[in-house]
Amino acid sequence: MSRTTFRLNDGRSIPAVGLGTWQSKPNEVRDAVEFALQHGYRHIDTALNYGNEREVGEGIRASGVPRDDIWVTTKLDNPWHHRVVEGFARSLSDLDIGYIDLYLMHFPCSTDPEDSTKHLPDWDYVKTWQEMQKLLDAGKVGSIGVSNFQIRHLEKLLADPSCKVVPAVNQIELHPSNPSPKLLDFCKSKGIHCTAYSCLGGTIGSPINNSGPLLRDPAILEVATAKGRTPQQVVLMWGVQRGTSIIPKSISPSRIAQNFELDGWTLTPEEMKKISGVQTRFKVVGDGWMPIKVFFDDDE
């Protein structure tokens, strides 16, 4: 599974397992990226909003892994929606890796850069997508997509005459306590691949987001014991076997290596069903910090 890839609607292939870098501090993320790539990872996920693109780029270069063997995803931050070219150029410069494999619109929210409590009155994500489509002609990005888009956002975007490129990816929060089957099915029907973030159910102790009891759930523990695997590994395998790419975040070398040990075993249909049957529901990422609501809890 660690070598599995998923084919996107533009013909390119995204690695199934990647390293997430959200909330990773600069000095920590550089070492984590270098270690992950030297131990088999070929997908690194970052974002302008994370403030660590420069260090991610340093880790990529320090790894010694050829650039063309690595898939790098980064994202346009909310206050840059009306400055797509500039936002992309900043990420490209900070990463300093020549090109970006996948560029995502981080949220369907065009925040006023002068006042984070306000949404730009004359701009929305459809206009942002119009500008993102133009990036493909410049030759510095391979694929474009979105993140945190719900069904209603995608319906509006795809129905607009200006939408000439269907997003290759929708990166969304996905784990057994937030499985979002309706959203997954909708994306599949439109040929949009889904990448799962917060795929382990959150970061314990995070000052700005939630963490749920997913890895202590009896069903997860039961499957993990039966497989001789960690709870994290069975939850990650569940994600990959659902057809989603996964980007677990860690700065611990042992955990980074452990999260990648997904070869030589699979979950049975019964085990997949048991994990999918987890009853606890929670979201890690909310929208209370944005000027508009973007999550509507209608994707289950």
Side-chain angles (χ1 to χ4, degrees), residues 27-95:
N27 58 323
E28 296 173 337
V29 77
R30 180 177 55 248
D31 293 342
V33 168
E34 180 181 0
F35 179 87
L37 290 172
Q38 291 177 343
H39 287 76
Y41 284 73
R42 291 296 180 265
H43 180 186
I44 305 296
D45 180 271
T46 184
L48 177 58
N49 174 264
Y50 301 168
N52 62 16
E53 288 173 309
R54 189 177 300 276
E55 290 75 19
V56 166
E58 291 173 358
I60 290 171
R61 294 190 298 278
S63 73
V65 176
R67 170 66 185 96
D68 288 351
D69 292 348
I70 306 169
W71 179 283
V72 179
T73 298
T74 193
K75 311 175 192 78
L76 178 76
D77 199 9
N78 298 351
W80 293 76
H81 273 217
H82 63 311
R83 299 172 291 163
V84 170
V85 172
E86 292 91 338
F88 179 80
R90 176 167 169 176
S91 290
L92 190 63
S93 174
D94 284 351
L95 283 164

